[in-house]
Amino acid sequence: MINIHFNYIGRNYLAQLQKNVNLNDLQQLITCYFKNPFRYRFVISGKELDLFNSKSFARCQSLFRNGVSILVLERIRGGGYVEIQILTNIILHDLEQALQRIPITNDAERPCQVCRENENSMKLCCNRICKVCFGDYFAHSTFQLACMTCRQKVPYDRFFVSPDFVRSLESLTEVCELMRYIDCQICHCVSLVVNETLYAQQTCEHCKRTFCFFCNKDWNEGSLIRKNDRYNCSSSCDYATKLSYELVPLQCNTNVLVPNRRFCPFCFTFGSYDEKCKYHTCPTCSHSFCFICLEEEETCKTKYGSNYQHKCTDVKKQNYSDFPTIVKRS
């Protein structure tokens, strides 16, 4: 048996497979953790797994080694971005109870702004929204509250009644902001650690665990030999995977090759190409950018005279130095 890790929204799920893993075994295992595999993309050692093509899968079988990581990307609007949100599951678990404490009114003239049908709704700035629609709205807005009419941001405590739930949301915002920094990490003991050297091998001062700072795995886990390099332990490390990509044909123009993975150059959210066009809108910061030149969509069009289906310039590479650091460096 070999141990593998599914890395999804900042959490590691440990699973086991036979050494000679076949496609059917992997499909069954993934279905246990991720009910609908069509919603996700799976990346192993920089290569994207095709769970529905046996020939393509056969080319990746040699990558399944003890301790290897499989990065899981959820397919979302314009490419499938996933933010590292450690408290997401807690928020979703407590959301229904928190909504029960918010008063609703019945007004036939002002139904829910989203479904336009439910007359029992809650006030959200200039709008009203029903409890059925709120869950999807809240998740798709990355757990931020904003008016659907005036676009003004709404403080959590002006909508939610529960102080404990408001604190959980504020903690989530803080964690998401911190995890944008390449030199910031949260150990398994929940201690916040900052890496001033940017080398991979680090030891937590609180729990004394020695681990790779960038993929947050125990340093001596499994049979993999890790290297103490800057930004990278050379063992399917997270930031190395974020920088890697494969060139795939643009669906609407197969003569143009586009990277199948990128991180947003504006907020650093990581995601995958959705096979529609070269422009992708980041659901975290709402910037629409080109997967080839990394410019904002309008800049790409004016600077290179390009459009959604034509090459603008050579593929621009992203580097470790593109990620922000919490420690100011010369």
Side-chain angles (χ1 to χ4, degrees), residues 10 12 185-188 209 211-218 237-238:
N12 279 307
Q185 183 60 274
I186 296 177
C187 180
H188 292 173
R209 180 176 73 104
F211 63 105
C212 171
F213 183 88
F214 301 103
C215 61
N216 213 0
K217 295 197 185 90
D218 292 348
C237 208
D238 287 4

Side-chain angles (χ1 to χ4, degrees), residues 5-206:
H5 295 265
F6 290 109
N7 190 340
Y8 176 58
I9 57 174
R11 293 180 180 236
N12 279 307
Y13 300 94
L14 179 64
Q16 291 188 319
L17 282 169
Q18 296 290 339
K19 283 187 177 180
N20 298 320
V21 56
N22 60 49
L23 181 56
N24 184 59
D25 290 339
L26 182 62
Q27 287 174 334
Q28 291 184 12
L29 181 65
I30 285 177
T31 302
C32 291
Y33 286 89
F34 309 94
K35 302 302 181 184
N36 180 7
F38 287 98
R39 289 182 53 196
Y40 306 92
R41 291 177 183 262
F42 302 87
V43 179
I44 180 171
S45 299
K47 299 290 184 182
E48 189 169 321
L49 292 173
D50 189 339
L51 298 181
F52 311 102
N53 185 312
S54 57
K55 290 184 178 180
S56 176
F57 174 77
R59 293 194 289 269
C60 295
Q61 276 183 294
S62 62
L63 301 176
F64 285 86
R65 303 182 303 274
N66 190 44
V68 75
S69 288
I70 296 179
L71 183 65
V72 183
L73 305 178
E74 186 172 1
R75 299 182 188 224
I76 307 176
R77 174 173 59 122
Y81 298 98
V82 174
E83 180 63 272
I84 299 177
Q85 300 175 344
I86 294 177
L87 300 177
T88 297
N89 290 341
I90 298 175
I91 298 299
L92 293 176
H93 180 267
D94 295 343
L95 178 60
E96 183 176 356
Q97 184 175 358
L99 290 178
Q100 294 303 319
R101 300 183 61 179
I102 300 175
I104 61 173
T105 57
N106 185 292
D107 189 343
E109 295 183 359
R110 298 192 66 193
C112 170
Q113 178 79 6
V114 179
C115 66
R116 298 288 185 177
E117 295 179 356
N118 197 335
E119 298 174 0
N120 296 308
S121 58
M122 306 171 290
K123 181 175 175 57
L124 177 61
C125 195
C126 306
N127 303 122
R128 304 200 69 84
I129 186 170
C130 68
K131 293 181 178 179
V132 176
C133 293
F134 185 84
D136 284 341
Y137 153 80
F138 199 40
H140 289 158
S141 62
T142 61
F143 303 102
Q144 298 297 311
L145 292 174
C147 181
M148 289 172 278
T149 300
C150 70
R151 304 298 180 185
Q152 183 176 348
K153 187 175 180 179
V154 179
Y156 293 129
D157 57 5
R158 290 189 185 176
F159 181 77
F160 292 106
V161 177
S162 168
D164 289 340
F165 192 68
V166 170
R167 280 194 290 270
S168 294
L169 288 169
E170 290 172 345
S171 297
L172 174 64
T173 301
E174 292 172 2
V175 167
C176 291
E177 178 64 24
L178 287 172
M179 296 310 289
R180 293 172 61 247
Y181 299 102
I182 195 171
D183 58 348
C184 185
Q185 183 60 274
I186 296 177
C187 180
H188 292 173
C189 69
V190 199
S191 295
L192 174 65
V193 285
V194 177
N195 187 342
E196 295 186 355
T197 68
L198 294 177
Y199 279 92
Q201 185 176 1
Q202 300 291 331
T203 299
C204 176
E205 291 294 328
H206 181 72

